[in-house]
Amino acid sequence: MRSEKFTPADIDEYIAAFPAEVQRILKMIRKTIRKAAPEAVEAISYRIPTFRLGGKNLVHFAAFKSHISVYPAPRDSEELGEEIAAYKGGKGTVQFPIGSELPLDLIGRIVRYRLGASK
């Protein structure tokens, strides 16, 4: 597992720093984001994987000991808020427990929501 001081050069290096099962999850999230926002550019921001659009951060994701976070998450959205509320997280973060089924459809909809919010 990576240390808090680790600053990867790119998303591939970030993913490679985790155990195989976590790598598999991170790759699925990356693919889901890429599909929802194909014009977004991959980057590292705040030492975590980030997708940028028009020079602004669109969405981030990160792995932790027991969960994967995706943010910002629109917890106050009428469209997604209720579904996101089923998961732990802060005001703008949603945490998906490692070992549980990953809601890729929800992640894709979060990204598409963010695309609309970024216009």
Side-chain angles (χ1 to χ4, degrees), residues 64-109:
F64 297 91
K65 185 177 181 177
S66 61
H67 69 274
I68 306 291
S69 288
V70 174
Y71 41 98
R75 287 194 171 271
D76 59 352
S77 158
E78 285 185 30
E79 179 185 345
L80 299 172
E82 203 170 299
E83 209 171 337
I84 291 171
Y87 298 94
K88 289 183 180 180
K91 182 179 179 181
T93 304
V94 63
Q95 298 175 355
F96 303 110
I98 293 174
S100 297
E101 187 172 338
L102 194 62
L104 295 174
D105 181 62
L106 175 60
I107 294 169
R109 287 185 287 130

mmCIF file of all heavy atoms in Angstrom, residues 64-109:
data_model
loop_
_atom_site.group_PDB
_atom_site.id
_atom_site.type_symbol
_atom_site.label_atom_id
_atom_site.label_comp_id
_atom_site.label_asym_id
_atom_site.label_seq_id
_atom_site.Cartn_x
_atom_site.Cartn_y
_atom_site.Cartn_z
ATOM 1 N N PHE A 64 -8.032 3.610 -0.198
ATOM 2 C CA PHE A 64 -7.657 3.643 1.208
ATOM 3 C C PHE A 64 -7.692 2.216 1.739
ATOM 4 O O PHE A 64 -7.999 1.279 1.009
ATOM 5 C CB PHE A 64 -8.601 4.573 1.978
ATOM 6 C CG PHE A 64 -8.503 5.997 1.514
ATOM 7 C CD1 PHE A 64 -9.332 6.458 0.509
ATOM 8 C CD2 PHE A 64 -7.557 6.861 2.051
ATOM 9 C CE1 PHE A 64 -9.229 7.765 0.053
ATOM 10 C CE2 PHE A 64 -7.446 8.171 1.593
ATOM 11 C CZ PHE A 64 -8.285 8.622 0.595
ATOM 12 N N LYS A 65 -7.414 2.030 3.005
ATOM 13 C CA LYS A 65 -7.312 0.692 3.581
ATOM 14 C C LYS A 65 -8.572 -0.152 3.369
ATOM 15 O O LYS A 65 -8.490 -1.318 3.003
ATOM 16 C CB LYS A 65 -7.002 0.791 5.073
ATOM 17 C CG LYS A 65 -6.773 -0.540 5.731
ATOM 18 C CD LYS A 65 -6.398 -0.368 7.186
ATOM 19 C CE LYS A 65 -6.145 -1.727 7.820
ATOM 20 N NZ LYS A 65 -5.714 -1.585 9.213
ATOM 21 N N SER A 66 -9.743 0.443 3.568
ATOM 22 C CA SER A 66 -10.970 -0.354 3.494
ATOM 23 C C SER A 66 -12.003 0.169 2.500
ATOM 24 O O SER A 66 -13.092 -0.368 2.416
ATOM 25 C CB SER A 66 -11.605 -0.452 4.886
ATOM 26 O OG SER A 66 -11.936 0.840 5.354
ATOM 27 N N HIS A 67 -11.661 1.219 1.759
ATOM 28 C CA HIS A 67 -12.625 1.761 0.802
ATOM 29 C C HIS A 67 -11.930 2.492 -0.338
ATOM 30 O O HIS A 67 -10.753 2.797 -0.263
ATOM 31 C CB HIS A 67 -13.622 2.703 1.496
ATOM 32 C CG HIS A 67 -12.997 3.985 1.963
ATOM 33 N ND1 HIS A 67 -12.366 4.115 3.179
ATOM 34 C CD2 HIS A 67 -12.905 5.202 1.361
ATOM 35 C CE1 HIS A 67 -11.919 5.352 3.312
ATOM 36 N NE2 HIS A 67 -12.227 6.028 2.218
ATOM 37 N N ILE A 68 -12.727 2.773 -1.364
ATOM 38 C CA ILE A 68 -12.311 3.603 -2.488
ATOM 39 C C ILE A 68 -13.210 4.838 -2.457
ATOM 40 O O ILE A 68 -14.433 4.720 -2.352
ATOM 41 C CB ILE A 68 -12.518 2.891 -3.847
ATOM 42 C CG1 ILE A 68 -11.832 1.521 -3.880
ATOM 43 C CG2 ILE A 68 -12.075 3.783 -4.997
ATOM 44 C CD1 ILE A 68 -10.343 1.528 -3.895
ATOM 45 N N SER A 69 -12.612 6.017 -2.529
ATOM 46 C CA SER A 69 -13.387 7.257 -2.538
ATOM 47 C C SER A 69 -13.452 7.831 -3.944
ATOM 48 O O SER A 69 -12.493 7.755 -4.701
ATOM 49 C CB SER A 69 -12.755 8.303 -1.616
ATOM 50 O OG SER A 69 -12.931 7.958 -0.269
ATOM 51 N N VAL A 70 -14.596 8.419 -4.249
ATOM 52 C CA VAL A 70 -14.794 9.162 -5.495
ATOM 53 C C VAL A 70 -15.325 10.528 -5.081
ATOM 54 O O VAL A 70 -16.236 10.621 -4.260
ATOM 55 C CB VAL A 70 -15.795 8.449 -6.426
ATOM 56 C CG1 VAL A 70 -16.115 9.311 -7.649
ATOM 57 C CG2 VAL A 70 -15.252 7.095 -6.866
ATOM 58 N N TYR A 71 -14.754 11.578 -5.635
ATOM 59 C CA TYR A 71 -15.216 12.919 -5.291
ATOM 60 C C TYR A 71 -14.838 13.928 -6.352
ATOM 61 O O TYR A 71 -13.945 13.640 -7.147
ATOM 62 C CB TYR A 71 -14.716 13.350 -3.903
ATOM 63 C CG TYR A 71 -13.295 13.001 -3.547
ATOM 64 C CD1 TYR A 71 -12.268 13.917 -3.668
ATOM 65 C CD2 TYR A 71 -12.987 11.738 -3.070
ATOM 66 C CE1 TYR A 71 -10.981 13.597 -3.313
ATOM 67 C CE2 TYR A 71 -11.699 11.409 -2.709
ATOM 68 C CZ TYR A 71 -10.703 12.343 -2.834
ATOM 69 O OH TYR A 71 -9.417 12.013 -2.502
ATOM 70 N N PRO A 72 -15.529 15.043 -6.386
ATOM 71 C CA PRO A 72 -16.666 15.384 -5.531
ATOM 72 C C PRO A 72 -17.910 14.584 -5.916
ATOM 73 O O PRO A 72 -18.154 14.307 -7.081
ATOM 74 C CB PRO A 72 -16.889 16.865 -5.752
ATOM 75 C CG PRO A 72 -16.276 17.174 -7.070
ATOM 76 C CD PRO A 72 -15.204 16.145 -7.299
ATOM 77 N N ALA A 73 -18.661 14.219 -4.907
ATOM 78 C CA ALA A 73 -19.912 13.476 -5.097
ATOM 79 C C ALA A 73 -21.082 14.399 -4.784
ATOM 80 O O ALA A 73 -21.085 15.052 -3.749
ATOM 81 C CB ALA A 73 -19.945 12.263 -4.180
ATOM 82 N N PRO A 74 -22.042 14.476 -5.678
ATOM 83 C CA PRO A 74 -23.165 15.415 -5.507
ATOM 84 C C PRO A 74 -24.213 14.888 -4.517
ATOM 85 O O PRO A 74 -25.307 14.504 -4.885
ATOM 86 C CB PRO A 74 -23.720 15.530 -6.920
ATOM 87 C CG PRO A 74 -23.419 14.202 -7.534
ATOM 88 C CD PRO A 74 -22.107 13.768 -6.947
ATOM 89 N N ARG A 75 -23.862 14.880 -3.234
ATOM 90 C CA ARG A 75 -24.770 14.356 -2.205
ATOM 91 C C ARG A 75 -26.073 15.138 -2.131
ATOM 92 O O ARG A 75 -27.091 14.599 -1.724
ATOM 93 C CB ARG A 75 -24.080 14.351 -0.844
ATOM 94 C CG ARG A 75 -23.030 13.262 -0.741
ATOM 95 C CD ARG A 75 -22.585 13.041 0.693
ATOM 96 N NE ARG A 75 -21.745 11.850 0.769
ATOM 97 C CZ ARG A 75 -22.212 10.638 0.973
ATOM 98 N NH1 ARG A 75 -23.493 10.432 1.131
ATOM 99 N NH2 ARG A 75 -21.393 9.606 1.023
ATOM 100 N N ASP A 76 -26.055 16.395 -2.531
ATOM 101 C CA ASP A 76 -27.267 17.222 -2.459
ATOM 102 C C ASP A 76 -28.096 17.189 -3.752
ATOM 103 O O ASP A 76 -29.106 17.864 -3.858
ATOM 104 C CB ASP A 76 -26.906 18.658 -2.102
ATOM 105 C CG ASP A 76 -25.955 19.299 -3.109
ATOM 106 O OD1 ASP A 76 -25.438 18.600 -4.007
ATOM 107 O OD2 ASP A 76 -25.716 20.515 -2.986
ATOM 108 N N SER A 77 -27.685 16.368 -4.698
ATOM 109 C CA SER A 77 -28.391 16.257 -5.970
ATOM 110 C C SER A 77 -29.732 15.548 -5.791
ATOM 111 O O SER A 77 -29.806 14.495 -5.162
ATOM 112 C CB SER A 77 -27.523 15.471 -6.960
ATOM 113 O OG SER A 77 -28.288 14.913 -7.994
ATOM 114 N N GLU A 78 -30.784 16.117 -6.374
ATOM 115 C CA GLU A 78 -32.091 15.447 -6.356
ATOM 116 C C GLU A 78 -32.014 14.135 -7.124
ATOM 117 O O GLU A 78 -32.650 13.155 -6.760
ATOM 118 C CB GLU A 78 -33.160 16.350 -6.970
ATOM 119 C CG GLU A 78 -33.590 17.475 -6.067
ATOM 120 C CD GLU A 78 -34.736 18.269 -6.665
ATOM 121 O OE1 GLU A 78 -35.550 17.697 -7.413
ATOM 122 O OE2 GLU A 78 -34.812 19.476 -6.371
ATOM 123 N N GLU A 79 -31.235 14.135 -8.185
ATOM 124 C CA GLU A 79 -31.125 12.977 -9.067
ATOM 125 C C GLU A 79 -30.332 11.823 -8.443
ATOM 126 O O GLU A 79 -30.696 10.661 -8.589
ATOM 127 C CB GLU A 79 -30.451 13.421 -10.369
ATOM 128 C CG GLU A 79 -30.228 12.341 -11.382
ATOM 129 C CD GLU A 79 -29.454 12.847 -12.592
ATOM 130 O OE1 GLU A 79 -29.341 14.067 -12.783
ATOM 131 O OE2 GLU A 79 -28.968 11.992 -13.336
ATOM 132 N N LEU A 80 -29.250 12.133 -7.733
ATOM 133 C CA LEU A 80 -28.337 11.095 -7.245
ATOM 134 C C LEU A 80 -28.197 11.024 -5.727
ATOM 135 O O LEU A 80 -27.690 10.040 -5.206
ATOM 136 C CB LEU A 80 -26.940 11.311 -7.839
ATOM 137 C CG LEU A 80 -26.830 11.260 -9.353
ATOM 138 C CD1 LEU A 80 -25.441 11.678 -9.801
ATOM 139 C CD2 LEU A 80 -27.152 9.879 -9.859
ATOM 140 N N GLY A 81 -28.614 12.063 -5.040
ATOM 141 C CA GLY A 81 -28.369 12.174 -3.606
ATOM 142 C C GLY A 81 -28.856 11.004 -2.785
ATOM 143 O O GLY A 81 -28.157 10.521 -1.887
ATOM 144 N N GLU A 82 -30.046 10.512 -3.076
ATOM 145 C CA GLU A 82 -30.605 9.399 -2.313
ATOM 146 C C GLU A 82 -29.779 8.124 -2.499
ATOM 147 O O GLU A 82 -29.521 7.385 -1.548
ATOM 148 C CB GLU A 82 -32.054 9.162 -2.747
ATOM 149 C CG GLU A 82 -32.887 8.463 -1.703
ATOM 150 C CD GLU A 82 -34.354 8.460 -2.074
ATOM 151 O OE1 GLU A 82 -34.939 9.558 -2.199
ATOM 152 O OE2 GLU A 82 -34.884 7.350 -2.246
ATOM 153 N N GLU A 83 -29.355 7.899 -3.720
ATOM 154 C CA GLU A 83 -28.544 6.715 -4.017
ATOM 155 C C GLU A 83 -27.158 6.821 -3.373
ATOM 156 O O GLU A 83 -26.642 5.851 -2.819
ATOM 157 C CB GLU A 83 -28.408 6.570 -5.535
ATOM 158 C CG GLU A 83 -28.235 5.171 -5.998
ATOM 159 C CD GLU A 83 -28.320 5.063 -7.511
ATOM 160 O OE1 GLU A 83 -28.912 5.923 -8.185
ATOM 161 O OE2 GLU A 83 -27.762 4.078 -8.010
ATOM 162 N N ILE A 84 -26.580 8.007 -3.424
ATOM 163 C CA ILE A 84 -25.265 8.232 -2.824
ATOM 164 C C ILE A 84 -25.346 8.109 -1.304
ATOM 165 O O ILE A 84 -24.416 7.645 -0.652
ATOM 166 C CB ILE A 84 -24.704 9.607 -3.251
ATOM 167 C CG1 ILE A 84 -24.356 9.575 -4.743
ATOM 168 C CG2 ILE A 84 -23.481 9.987 -2.425
ATOM 169 C CD1 ILE A 84 -23.990 10.922 -5.330
ATOM 170 N N ALA A 85 -26.481 8.495 -0.718
ATOM 171 C CA ALA A 85 -26.662 8.453 0.737
ATOM 172 C C ALA A 85 -26.524 7.037 1.304
ATOM 173 O O ALA A 85 -26.275 6.871 2.507
ATOM 174 C CB ALA A 85 -28.022 9.034 1.111
ATOM 175 N N ALA A 86 -26.641 6.036 0.480
ATOM 176 C CA ALA A 86 -26.490 4.646 0.935
ATOM 177 C C ALA A 86 -25.032 4.319 1.282
ATOM 178 O O ALA A 86 -24.761 3.278 1.872
ATOM 179 C CB ALA A 86 -26.991 3.687 -0.143
ATOM 180 N N TYR A 87 -24.108 5.214 0.930
ATOM 181 C CA TYR A 87 -22.688 4.992 1.162
ATOM 182 C C TYR A 87 -22.140 6.028 2.134
ATOM 183 O O TYR A 87 -22.577 7.173 2.147
ATOM 184 C CB TYR A 87 -21.911 5.079 -0.165
ATOM 185 C CG TYR A 87 -22.336 4.031 -1.152
ATOM 186 C CD1 TYR A 87 -23.316 4.305 -2.105
ATOM 187 C CD2 TYR A 87 -21.788 2.754 -1.113
ATOM 188 C CE1 TYR A 87 -23.728 3.328 -2.999
ATOM 189 C CE2 TYR A 87 -22.194 1.774 -2.010
ATOM 190 C CZ TYR A 87 -23.163 2.075 -2.944
ATOM 191 O OH TYR A 87 -23.574 1.110 -3.827
ATOM 192 N N LYS A 88 -21.146 5.623 2.912
ATOM 193 C CA LYS A 88 -20.457 6.544 3.811
ATOM 194 C C LYS A 88 -19.716 7.583 2.987
ATOM 195 O O LYS A 88 -19.428 7.379 1.813
ATOM 196 C CB LYS A 88 -19.450 5.795 4.683
ATOM 197 C CG LYS A 88 -20.058 4.928 5.733
ATOM 198 C CD LYS A 88 -18.953 4.294 6.567
ATOM 199 C CE LYS A 88 -19.529 3.404 7.636
ATOM 200 N NZ LYS A 88 -18.466 2.778 8.444
ATOM 201 N N GLY A 89 -19.369 8.670 3.638
ATOM 202 C CA GLY A 89 -18.578 9.696 2.999
ATOM 203 C C GLY A 89 -18.872 11.040 3.609
ATOM 204 O O GLY A 89 -19.801 11.181 4.408
ATOM 205 N N GLY A 90 -18.084 12.008 3.249
ATOM 206 C CA GLY A 90 -18.292 13.370 3.723
ATOM 207 C C GLY A 90 -19.237 14.119 2.814
ATOM 208 O O GLY A 90 -19.892 13.542 1.948
ATOM 209 N N LYS A 91 -19.269 15.423 3.001
ATOM 210 C CA LYS A 91 -20.181 16.280 2.235
ATOM 211 C C LYS A 91 -20.016 16.091 0.723
ATOM 212 O O LYS A 91 -20.990 16.020 0.001
ATOM 213 C CB LYS A 91 -19.948 17.740 2.615
ATOM 214 C CG LYS A 91 -20.872 18.691 1.922
ATOM 215 C CD LYS A 91 -20.622 20.119 2.360
ATOM 216 C CE LYS A 91 -21.550 21.068 1.616
ATOM 217 N NZ LYS A 91 -21.297 22.456 2.005
ATOM 218 N N GLY A 92 -18.796 15.976 0.262
ATOM 219 C CA GLY A 92 -18.567 15.863 -1.174
ATOM 220 C C GLY A 92 -17.872 14.585 -1.586
ATOM 221 O O GLY A 92 -17.309 14.510 -2.675
ATOM 222 N N THR A 93 -17.888 13.567 -0.730
ATOM 223 C CA THR A 93 -17.181 12.324 -1.014
ATOM 224 C C THR A 93 -18.111 11.139 -0.845
ATOM 225 O O THR A 93 -18.983 11.146 0.015
ATOM 226 C CB THR A 93 -16.001 12.156 -0.028
ATOM 227 O OG1 THR A 93 -15.163 13.285 -0.108
ATOM 228 C CG2 THR A 93 -15.196 10.921 -0.342
ATOM 229 N N VAL A 94 -17.912 10.137 -1.666
ATOM 230 C CA VAL A 94 -18.629 8.877 -1.490
ATOM 231 C C VAL A 94 -17.581 7.771 -1.371
ATOM 232 O O VAL A 94 -16.582 7.772 -2.091
ATOM 233 C CB VAL A 94 -19.640 8.613 -2.634
ATOM 234 C CG1 VAL A 94 -18.960 8.474 -3.970
ATOM 235 C CG2 VAL A 94 -20.505 7.420 -2.341
ATOM 236 N N GLN A 95 -17.780 6.886 -0.391
ATOM 237 C CA GLN A 95 -16.829 5.808 -0.120
ATOM 238 C C GLN A 95 -17.472 4.468 -0.450
ATOM 239 O O GLN A 95 -18.547 4.155 0.052
ATOM 240 C CB GLN A 95 -16.432 5.810 1.351
ATOM 241 C CG GLN A 95 -15.733 7.069 1.785
ATOM 242 C CD GLN A 95 -15.454 7.088 3.281
ATOM 243 O OE1 GLN A 95 -15.857 6.195 4.016
ATOM 244 N NE2 GLN A 95 -14.763 8.114 3.718
ATOM 245 N N PHE A 96 -16.789 3.700 -1.285
ATOM 246 C CA PHE A 96 -17.252 2.375 -1.661
ATOM 247 C C PHE A 96 -16.369 1.352 -0.956
ATOM 248 O O PHE A 96 -15.157 1.333 -1.183
ATOM 249 C CB PHE A 96 -17.201 2.194 -3.170
ATOM 250 C CG PHE A 96 -18.001 3.222 -3.915
ATOM 251 C CD1 PHE A 96 -17.379 4.208 -4.662
ATOM 252 C CD2 PHE A 96 -19.388 3.217 -3.846
ATOM 253 C CE1 PHE A 96 -18.125 5.159 -5.345
ATOM 254 C CE2 PHE A 96 -20.145 4.169 -4.524
ATOM 255 C CZ PHE A 96 -19.509 5.145 -5.274
ATOM 256 N N PRO A 97 -16.949 0.518 -0.090
ATOM 257 C CA PRO A 97 -16.149 -0.447 0.659
ATOM 258 C C PRO A 97 -15.443 -1.448 -0.265
ATOM 259 O O PRO A 97 -16.049 -1.967 -1.201
ATOM 260 C CB PRO A 97 -17.168 -1.173 1.532
ATOM 261 C CG PRO A 97 -18.384 -0.316 1.535
ATOM 262 C CD PRO A 97 -18.367 0.442 0.245
ATOM 263 N N ILE A 98 -14.166 -1.691 0.011
ATOM 264 C CA ILE A 98 -13.434 -2.720 -0.713
ATOM 265 C C ILE A 98 -14.015 -4.062 -0.290
ATOM 266 O O ILE A 98 -14.233 -4.309 0.889
ATOM 267 C CB ILE A 98 -11.926 -2.636 -0.424
ATOM 268 C CG1 ILE A 98 -11.368 -1.336 -1.015
ATOM 269 C CG2 ILE A 98 -11.181 -3.852 -0.985
ATOM 270 C CD1 ILE A 98 -9.923 -1.044 -0.679
ATOM 271 N N GLY A 99 -14.302 -4.902 -1.249
ATOM 272 C CA GLY A 99 -14.892 -6.198 -0.963
ATOM 273 C C GLY A 99 -16.381 -6.244 -1.246
ATOM 274 O O GLY A 99 -16.983 -7.299 -1.261
ATOM 275 N N SER A 100 -16.986 -5.081 -1.470
ATOM 276 C CA SER A 100 -18.402 -5.011 -1.846
ATOM 277 C C SER A 100 -18.494 -4.794 -3.346
ATOM 278 O O SER A 100 -17.541 -4.330 -3.977
ATOM 279 C CB SER A 100 -19.098 -3.848 -1.134
ATOM 280 O OG SER A 100 -19.083 -4.046 0.248
ATOM 281 N N GLU A 101 -19.648 -5.090 -3.902
ATOM 282 C CA GLU A 101 -19.840 -4.861 -5.329
ATOM 283 C C GLU A 101 -19.722 -3.368 -5.627
ATOM 284 O O GLU A 101 -20.325 -2.538 -4.953
ATOM 285 C CB GLU A 101 -21.198 -5.378 -5.776
ATOM 286 C CG GLU A 101 -21.372 -5.309 -7.282
ATOM 287 C CD GLU A 101 -22.629 -6.002 -7.752
ATOM 288 O OE1 GLU A 101 -23.153 -6.863 -7.040
ATOM 289 O OE2 GLU A 101 -23.074 -5.647 -8.862
ATOM 290 N N LEU A 102 -18.954 -3.046 -6.619
ATOM 291 C CA LEU A 102 -18.723 -1.659 -6.997
ATOM 292 C C LEU A 102 -19.859 -1.167 -7.892
ATOM 293 O O LEU A 102 -20.123 -1.769 -8.932
ATOM 294 C CB LEU A 102 -17.381 -1.568 -7.741
ATOM 295 C CG LEU A 102 -16.786 -0.207 -7.951
ATOM 296 C CD1 LEU A 102 -16.478 0.473 -6.622
ATOM 297 C CD2 LEU A 102 -15.500 -0.335 -8.754
ATOM 298 N N PRO A 103 -20.533 -0.071 -7.516
ATOM 299 C CA PRO A 103 -21.647 0.439 -8.324
ATOM 300 C C PRO A 103 -21.136 1.286 -9.501
ATOM 301 O O PRO A 103 -21.207 2.513 -9.487
ATOM 302 C CB PRO A 103 -22.444 1.271 -7.318
ATOM 303 C CG PRO A 103 -21.394 1.801 -6.386
ATOM 304 C CD PRO A 103 -20.371 0.695 -6.280
ATOM 305 N N LEU A 104 -20.631 0.606 -10.519
ATOM 306 C CA LEU A 104 -20.041 1.317 -11.661
ATOM 307 C C LEU A 104 -21.047 2.222 -12.348
ATOM 308 O O LEU A 104 -20.687 3.314 -12.811
ATOM 309 C CB LEU A 104 -19.434 0.318 -12.646
ATOM 310 C CG LEU A 104 -18.241 -0.475 -12.109
ATOM 311 C CD1 LEU A 104 -17.817 -1.531 -13.110
ATOM 312 C CD2 LEU A 104 -17.080 0.446 -11.759
ATOM 313 N N ASP A 105 -22.303 1.806 -12.420
ATOM 314 C CA ASP A 105 -23.327 2.643 -13.039
ATOM 315 C C ASP A 105 -23.466 3.959 -12.272
ATOM 316 O O ASP A 105 -23.523 5.034 -12.873
ATOM 317 C CB ASP A 105 -24.664 1.909 -13.088
ATOM 318 C CG ASP A 105 -25.734 2.750 -13.756
ATOM 319 O OD1 ASP A 105 -25.573 3.074 -14.955
ATOM 320 O OD2 ASP A 105 -26.716 3.115 -13.063
ATOM 321 N N LEU A 106 -23.483 3.900 -10.958
ATOM 322 C CA LEU A 106 -23.576 5.112 -10.140
ATOM 323 C C LEU A 106 -22.351 5.994 -10.343
ATOM 324 O O LEU A 106 -22.481 7.218 -10.491
ATOM 325 C CB LEU A 106 -23.744 4.756 -8.662
ATOM 326 C CG LEU A 106 -23.732 5.931 -7.680
ATOM 327 C CD1 LEU A 106 -24.855 6.915 -7.989
ATOM 328 C CD2 LEU A 106 -23.825 5.419 -6.245
ATOM 329 N N ILE A 107 -21.181 5.408 -10.389
ATOM 330 C CA ILE A 107 -19.962 6.192 -10.613
ATOM 331 C C ILE A 107 -20.031 6.903 -11.958
ATOM 332 O O ILE A 107 -19.711 8.086 -12.068
ATOM 333 C CB ILE A 107 -18.708 5.306 -10.502
ATOM 334 C CG1 ILE A 107 -18.554 4.809 -9.058
ATOM 335 C CG2 ILE A 107 -17.456 6.055 -10.961
ATOM 336 C CD1 ILE A 107 -17.510 3.726 -8.870
ATOM 337 N N GLY A 108 -20.477 6.206 -12.983
ATOM 338 C CA GLY A 108 -20.630 6.830 -14.305
ATOM 339 C C GLY A 108 -21.621 7.978 -14.266
ATOM 340 O O GLY A 108 -21.395 9.036 -14.871
ATOM 341 N N ARG A 109 -22.713 7.803 -13.535
ATOM 342 C CA ARG A 109 -23.704 8.877 -13.432
ATOM 343 C C ARG A 109 -23.177 10.057 -12.626
ATOM 344 O O ARG A 109 -23.495 11.210 -12.935
ATOM 345 C CB ARG A 109 -25.008 8.342 -12.850
ATOM 346 C CG ARG A 109 -25.739 7.477 -13.896
ATOM 347 C CD ARG A 109 -27.107 6.998 -13.449
ATOM 348 N NE ARG A 109 -26.937 5.963 -12.435
ATOM 349 C CZ ARG A 109 -27.551 5.929 -11.265
ATOM 350 N NH1 ARG A 109 -28.417 6.858 -10.936
ATOM 351 N NH2 ARG A 109 -27.339 4.955 -10.424
#
